[in-house]
Amino acid sequence: MLPEFTPPTAEFIAMITLYISVCLFIGYLAHKKTKTLADFFIMGGTGGAIVTGLGYFTTQISASTYMGCPGYVYRYGLVGLISVIIPGTVLGLVIPGFLVGRRVVELKKKLGYLTFPDLLADRYYSNIIRLIAAIFITLYLSAYIAAQIRAGGVIFEVFGGLPYALGVIVTGIIVTIYCLLGGIRGALWTDVFQGLLMWFAAAFAVIGGLKLVGGIESLIEYLKVNRPETLSMPGAEAWMTVPMFISQALLWCVGGIGQPQLFTKFYAMKDKKVLARAIIAATLSYSFPAALIVFSGIFAIKAFPGLTGKEIDYVIPLIFLKAWPTIIAAFFMMGIFAAAMSTVDSQFVMVSGAIARDLYQKLINPTAPERKVLWLSRIVVLILGVIAVAVGLNPPAAIFTIVMFAWGGLGVFTIPIVLGLYWKRTTREAAIAGIIAGNLTLLALYFGPPEIKALGGGFHPLIPAWIVTLITMIIVSYLSPRPPKEIMDKYFAE
């Protein structure tokens, strides 16, 4: 049950108005420099280390990190912190960057990719791959977007004392406007501003949490007496089993390779030198706020006992509200709002690309002029904003639950990406079969009857889905004709 409090509505409105004004101004500036499809989708491929690195960090760190993950730590204990933050912050950006990023930066310069399916369709010489990828990207990212939009509603409701629906609508409208205007440039430029807000919010969430519980020693003593299961494996409700720990580590260390909203940041980077600096900048930027904000969930166990269900998403807003003067707390709340906005903006652009470029320009009307496709991309952003708001008004689950599902679904693409870049024998038929088999496996383990779910062995559904995808692709590759020579020359020439 939520504790009683008086929301600082006036202070919240003042801060959210200032925040929105800055985002819209940045979106307007980005619009003035967005003239082509390349500008809209990948910033013309001219991004430097700071902008692309911070953009990678702010896209990776979302409302799930600032609200969903602390909620999981509140529910399950420190195992939630260990499973997500250690692998996620230390290796979650480094592995994708150095495993596939270097090759992708080179290939993008040579082949002119704009969207995630561009690489898959070209490497596997198949527009069927493009169609499949575009459909799955649209479905999974729509769920991901709904989670971020929900976070905006929660912030308005819990902290601003305003209707949840108003928060969902305002979040959807603002992100739609600046993405519609500036595309990925608008997303990345606002991400730099929003990243700074996230840093402040994370630092003062920890300081505020310490104030509320009377220090670390007092907190530990409370947990030993009242919630001892939160201090050791496998955590409350025996959640962190060995299979689940392995799943979480792999999910956040490797699964980022299959996330279009992260993958296409490599397209925006100027060269491999920028990539190396950007990954370092992103990792350092990500580690500090992510670790602090997620750790803050443990303070809420003592400060706000008895939260259940979707209420666990509220722990960070409650810490701000109870620990700081209202105007200061309202400012920090913009950091959480920024976490949602900075993730959803890149996802808007990715879905726009999947529909306007991959479905319309590449499959339906290949002769469409670039200007028409650019305007269609903006129309798609507008329509997506409406859909996202509609779903956000009645979300199906807590924020982190939705994010884990969407991240897992997109993570299936990790196998065809890695094999396509490093194994010459991988074929078109194998990629099609692997992507379909992997997604069917994941969906069956998520939504199937208990006897089907039990086949996952306690692992996150993405892990069995990866295994099925990998085995399927290896077998089908050897059963199907070798890739054409022009593909080999394009991707594997010495």
Side-chain angles (χ1 to χ4, degrees):
M1 181 176 177
L2 288 173
E4 292 185 4
F5 58 90
T6 302
T9 304
E11 294 89 341
F12 179 82
I13 292 174
M15 285 297 168
I16 199 70
T17 301
L18 178 61
Y19 169 84
I20 289 171
S21 299
V22 173
C23 286
L24 291 179
F25 178 68
I26 293 173
Y28 168 73
L29 295 178
H31 174 68
K32 294 174 69 176
K33 289 183 172 292
T34 302
K35 306 299 182 183
T36 68
L37 277 181
D39 290 336
F40 191 84
F41 289 125
I42 62 169
M43 205 173 163
T46 60
I50 298 299
V51 170
T52 55
L54 288 180
Y56 199 108
F57 138 62
T58 53
T59 301
Q60 174 90 317
I61 202 168
S62 66
S64 170
T65 312
Y66 273 67
M67 296 180 72
C69 291
Y72 262 57
V73 172
Y74 178 91
R75 179 175 177 179
Y76 300 116
L78 289 175
V79 293
L81 173 72
I82 295 169
S83 67
V84 176
I85 292 305
I86 291 178
T89 60
V90 176
L91 298 174
L93 307 179
V94 174
I95 289 178
F98 289 101
L99 181 60
V100 302
R102 290 179 296 174
R103 289 219 62 201
V104 171
V105 169
E106 290 180 332
L107 289 169
K108 177 265 161 189
K109 289 181 67 176
K110 181 169 69 173
L111 303 174
Y113 302 138
L114 294 183
T115 65
F116 184 76
D118 274 348
L119 186 150
L120 288 169
D122 189 59
R123 167 59 182 87
Y124 292 114
Y125 44 101
S126 170
N127 273 329
I128 294 177
I129 290 276
R130 184 186 298 277
L131 175 62
I132 293 171
I135 291 172
F136 281 126
I137 286 170
T138 301
L139 291 175
Y140 288 125
L141 280 184
S142 294
Y144 214 136
I145 288 168
Q148 311 308 315
I149 297 293
R150 163 171 161 70
V154 169
I155 292 167
F156 268 65
E157 179 183 41
V158 175
F159 195 81
L162 300 167
Y164 170 84
L166 177 63
V168 169
I169 293 168
V170 169
T171 304
I173 288 174
I174 299 309
V175 75
T176 298
I177 290 174
Y178 75 73
C179 284
L180 186 148
L181 291 175
I184 198 64
R185 190 185 301 274
L188 288 175
W189 283 6
T190 54
D191 285 355
V192 174
F193 161 63
Q194 292 175 137
L196 296 174
L197 291 177
M198 290 183 225
W199 271 62
F200 279 108
F204 283 89
V206 170
I207 297 171
L210 288 169
K211 287 173 59 179
L212 291 176
V213 301
I216 289 291
E217 290 185 7
S218 174
L219 173 65
I220 297 301
E221 288 303 315
Y222 175 88
L223 295 177
K224 285 180 178 178
V225 174
N226 297 279
R227 294 283 303 278
E229 71 278 8
T230 63
L231 295 173
S232 61
M233 296 283 278
E237 304 176 34
W239 181 65
M240 189 52 66
T241 60
V242 172
M244 182 55 70
F245 179 79
I246 294 172
S247 296
Q248 292 292 319
L250 290 174
L251 205 67
W252 304 114
C253 284
V254 183
I257 293 172
Q259 308 299 315
Q261 71 276 18
L262 296 175
F263 190 90
T264 51
K265 295 294 189 292
F266 300 136
Y267 293 176
M269 295 176 186
K270 193 182 304 182
D271 52 41
K272 289 194 292 185
K273 290 182 180 179
V274 167
L275 167 69
R277 293 195 296 268
I279 294 303
I280 293 171
T283 300
L284 293 176
S285 301
Y286 181 36
S287 301
F288 171 78
L292 292 183
I293 201 72
V294 176
F295 182 73
S296 298
I298 205 75
F299 300 129
I301 296 176
K302 180 182 178 183
F304 314 113
L307 301 183
T308 59
K310 296 178 184 180
E311 291 175 350
I312 65 175
D313 287 339
Y314 300 1
V315 297
I316 298 301
L318 288 172
I319 288 174
F320 287 143
L321 189 64
K322 293 293 187 178
W324 299 105
T326 53
I327 189 66
I328 302 299
F331 173 73
F332 295 149
M333 281 301 300
M334 295 307 99
I336 302 180
F337 202 74
M341 299 279 277
S342 65
T343 295
V344 78
D345 53 19
S346 292
Q347 293 165 345
F348 266 53
V349 177
M350 290 308 100
V351 175
S352 169
I355 295 174
R357 176 172 169 81
D358 294 304
L359 294 182
Y360 179 74
Q361 186 184 36
K362 291 295 184 178
L363 299 179
I364 297 173
N365 187 6
T367 61
E370 182 174 290
R371 183 173 179 82
K372 183 177 182 179
V373 179
L374 179 58
W375 273 106
L376 178 60
S377 300
R378 288 176 165 141
I379 292 170
V380 171
V381 167
L382 181 61
I383 295 172
L384 182 62
V386 174
I387 295 173
V389 167
V391 176
L393 289 173
N394 188 27
I399 293 168
F400 193 55
T401 302
I402 302 173
V403 167
M404 284 187 67
F405 165 70
W407 184 277
L410 294 167
V412 171
F413 287 112
T414 299
I415 302 300
I417 286 290
V418 173
L419 290 184
L421 293 176
Y422 290 102
W423 189 34
K424 297 180 181 180
R425 190 66 179 81
T426 318
T427 66
R428 168 185 59 199
E429 294 81 4
I432 294 171
I435 291 171
I436 293 174
N439 276 280
L440 289 176
T441 301
L442 182 128
L443 294 172
L445 293 174
Y446 254 110
F447 302 111
E451 56 270 22
I452 296 296
K453 293 182 178 181
L455 297 176
F459 289 91
H460 184 281
L462 178 59
I463 309 305
W466 271 343
I467 294 171
V468 169
T469 304
L470 179 62
I471 293 173
T472 300
M473 290 189 67
I474 291 173
I475 292 173
V476 175
S477 287
Y478 282 116
L479 294 177
S480 53
R482 289 179 176 273
K485 183 178 182 300
E486 57 266 28
I487 297 298
M488 293 298 95
D489 291 342
K490 187 186 297 186
Y491 283 86
F492 298 102
E494 296 297 335

